Coordinates of all heavy atoms in Angstrom, one line a residue:
L148 N -35.5 47.1 -54.1 CA -35.6 47.1 -52.7 C -34.3 46.5 -52.1 O -33.8 47.0 -51.1 CB -36.8 46.3 -52.2 CG -38.2 46.8 -52.7 CD1 -39.3 45.8 -52.3 CD2 -38.4 48.2 -52.0
R149 N -33.8 45.4 -52.7 CA -32.6 44.8 -52.2 C -31.4 45.7 -52.3 O -30.6 45.9 -51.4 CB -32.3 43.5 -53.1 CG -31.0 42.8 -52.7 CD -30.5 42.0 -53.8 NE -30.1 42.8 -55.0 CZ -29.7 42.3 -56.1 NH1 -29.6 41.0 -56.3 NH2 -29.4 43.2 -57.1
N150 N -31.3 46.4 -53.5 CA -30.2 47.4 -53.7 C -30.3 48.5 -52.7 O -29.3 49.0 -52.2 CB -30.2 47.9 -55.1 CG -29.9 46.8 -56.1 OD1 -29.4 45.7 -55.8 ND2 -30.2 47.0 -57.4
D151 N -31.5 49.0 -52.4 CA -31.7 50.1 -51.5 C -31.2 49.6 -50.1 O -30.6 50.4 -49.3 CB -33.1 50.5 -51.5 CG -33.4 51.8 -50.6 OD1 -32.6 52.7 -50.8 OD2 -34.2 51.7 -49.7
F152 N -31.6 48.4 -49.7 CA -31.2 47.9 -48.4 C -29.7 47.7 -48.3 O -29.1 48.1 -47.3 CB -31.8 46.5 -48.2 CG -31.3 45.7 -47.0 CD1 -31.8 46.1 -45.7 CD2 -30.4 44.7 -47.2 CE1 -31.3 45.4 -44.6 CE2 -29.9 44.0 -46.1 CZ -30.4 44.4 -44.8
L153 N -29.0 47.2 -49.4 CA -27.6 47.1 -49.4 C -26.9 48.4 -49.3 O -25.8 48.6 -48.6 CB -27.1 46.3 -50.6 CG -27.5 44.8 -50.7 CD1 -27.2 44.2 -52.0 CD2 -26.9 44.0 -49.5
Q154 N -27.4 49.4 -50.0 CA -26.8 50.7 -50.0 C -26.9 51.4 -48.6 O -25.9 52.0 -48.1 CB -27.5 51.6 -51.0 CG -26.7 52.9 -51.4 CD -27.3 53.6 -52.6 OE1 -28.5 53.4 -52.9 NE2 -26.5 54.4 -53.2
R155 N -28.0 51.1 -47.9 CA -28.1 51.7 -46.5 C -27.1 51.0 -45.5 O -26.7 51.5 -44.6 CB -29.5 51.5 -46.0 CG -30.5 52.4 -46.6 CD -31.8 52.5 -45.7 NE -32.4 51.2 -45.5 CZ -33.3 50.7 -46.3 NH1 -33.8 51.4 -47.4 NH2 -33.8 49.5 -46.1
K156 N -26.7 49.7 -45.9 CA -25.8 49.0 -45.1 C -24.3 49.3 -45.4 O -23.4 48.8 -44.8 CB -26.0 47.5 -45.3 CG -27.3 46.9 -44.7 CD -27.3 47.0 -43.2 CE -28.6 46.4 -42.6 NZ -28.6 46.4 -41.1
G157 N -24.1 50.2 -46.4 CA -22.8 50.6 -46.8 C -22.2 49.9 -47.9 O -21.0 50.1 -48.3
V158 N -23.0 49.0 -48.6 CA -22.5 48.3 -49.7 C -22.7 49.1 -51.0 O -23.8 49.5 -51.3 CB -23.2 46.9 -49.9 CG1 -22.7 46.2 -51.1 CG2 -23.0 46.1 -48.6
G159 N -21.6 49.5 -51.7 CA -21.7 50.3 -52.8 C -22.4 49.6 -54.0 O -22.3 48.4 -54.2
L160 N -23.2 50.3 -54.8 CA -23.8 49.7 -55.9 C -22.8 49.5 -57.0 O -21.9 50.2 -57.2 CB -24.9 50.7 -56.5 CG -26.1 50.9 -55.6 CD1 -27.1 51.9 -56.2 CD2 -26.9 49.6 -55.3
P161 N -23.0 48.4 -57.8 CA -22.0 48.2 -58.9 C -22.0 49.2 -59.9 O -23.1 49.8 -60.3 CB -22.5 46.8 -59.4 CG -23.9 46.7 -59.1 CD -24.1 47.4 -57.8
K162 N -20.9 49.6 -60.4 CA -20.8 50.6 -61.5 C -20.9 50.0 -62.9 O -20.6 48.8 -63.1 CB -19.4 51.3 -61.4 CG -19.2 52.1 -60.1 CD -17.9 52.8 -60.1 CE -17.7 53.6 -58.9 NZ -16.3 54.3 -58.8
A163 N -21.5 50.7 -63.7 CA -21.7 50.2 -65.1 C -20.3 50.1 -65.8 O -19.5 51.0 -65.7 CB -22.6 51.2 -65.9
T164 N -20.1 49.1 -66.6 CA -18.9 48.9 -67.3 C -19.0 49.7 -68.6 O -19.9 49.7 -69.3 CB -18.7 47.4 -67.7 OG1 -18.7 46.7 -66.5 CG2 -17.4 47.2 -68.4
S165 N -17.9 50.5 -68.8 CA -17.9 51.3 -70.0 C -17.5 50.4 -71.2 O -16.5 49.7 -71.2 CB -16.8 52.4 -69.9 OG -16.7 53.2 -71.1
T166 N -18.3 50.4 -72.2 CA -18.1 49.7 -73.4 C -17.7 50.6 -74.6 O -18.2 51.7 -74.6 CB -19.3 48.8 -73.8 OG1 -20.4 49.6 -74.0 CG2 -19.6 47.8 -72.7
G167 N -16.9 50.1 -75.5 CA -16.5 51.0 -76.6 C -16.7 50.4 -77.9 O -16.4 49.2 -78.1
T168 N -17.1 51.2 -78.9 CA -17.4 50.7 -80.2 C -17.7 51.9 -81.1 O -18.2 52.9 -80.5 CB -18.5 49.7 -80.3 OG1 -18.1 48.4 -79.8 CG2 -19.1 49.5 -81.7
T169 N -17.5 51.8 -82.4 CA -18.1 52.8 -83.3 C -18.8 52.0 -84.4 O -18.1 51.3 -85.1 CB -17.0 53.7 -83.9 OG1 -16.3 54.4 -82.9 CG2 -17.6 54.7 -84.9
I170 N -20.1 52.1 -84.5 CA -20.9 51.5 -85.6 C -21.7 52.6 -86.3 O -22.2 53.5 -85.6 CB -21.8 50.3 -85.1 CG1 -22.7 50.8 -83.9 CG2 -20.9 49.2 -84.7 CD1 -23.7 49.8 -83.5
V171 N -21.8 52.5 -87.6 CA -22.5 53.5 -88.4 C -23.2 52.9 -89.5 O -23.1 51.7 -89.8 CB -21.5 54.5 -88.9 CG1 -20.6 55.1 -87.8 CG2 -20.6 53.9 -90.0
G172 N -24.1 53.7 -90.1 CA -24.8 53.3 -91.3 C -25.4 54.5 -92.0 O -25.6 55.5 -91.4
C173 N -25.5 54.4 -93.4 CA -26.1 55.4 -94.1 C -26.8 54.9 -95.3 O -26.5 53.8 -95.8 CB -25.1 56.5 -94.5 SG -24.1 56.1 -95.9
V174 N -27.8 55.6 -95.8 CA -28.6 55.3 -97.0 C -27.9 55.9 -98.2 O -27.5 57.0 -98.1 CB -30.0 55.8 -96.8 CG1 -30.8 55.4 -98.1 CG2 -30.7 55.2 -95.6
F175 N -27.8 55.1 -99.3 CA -27.3 55.7 -100.5 C -28.3 55.4 -101.6 O -29.4 54.8 -101.4 CB -25.9 55.2 -100.9 CG -25.8 53.8 -101.3 CD1 -25.6 53.5 -102.7 CD2 -25.9 52.7 -100.4 CE1 -25.4 52.2 -103.1 CE2 -25.8 51.4 -100.9 CZ -25.5 51.2 -102.2
K176 N -28.0 55.7 -102.9 CA -29.0 55.6 -104.0 C -29.6 54.2 -104.1 O -30.8 54.1 -104.4 CB -28.3 56.0 -105.3 CG -29.2 56.1 -106.4 CD -28.5 56.7 -107.7 CE -27.5 55.7 -108.2 NZ -27.0 56.1 -109.5
D177 N -28.8 53.2 -104.0 CA -29.2 51.8 -104.3 C -29.5 51.0 -103.0 O -29.9 49.8 -103.2 CB -28.2 51.1 -105.2 CG -28.1 51.8 -106.5 OD1 -29.1 52.3 -107.1 OD2 -26.9 51.9 -107.0

């Protein structure tokens, strides 16, 4: 409700920060 009110007043919503990483995993025999 607060964010909707601020947006109607012309205040832009904060943008999500882009985060970067590569993480992986796999199963092997053991």
Side-chain angles (χ1 to χ4, degrees):
L148 298 173
R149 178 204 63 184
N150 293 343
D151 185 53
F152 170 78
L153 291 174
Q154 197 170 19
R155 288 199 302 270
K156 292 292 184 180
V158 179
L160 294 176
K162 294 181 180 179
T164 302
S165 175
T166 58
T168 284
T169 301
I170 53 174
V171 307
C173 78
V174 178
F175 73 105
K176 185 175 70 173
D177 299 321

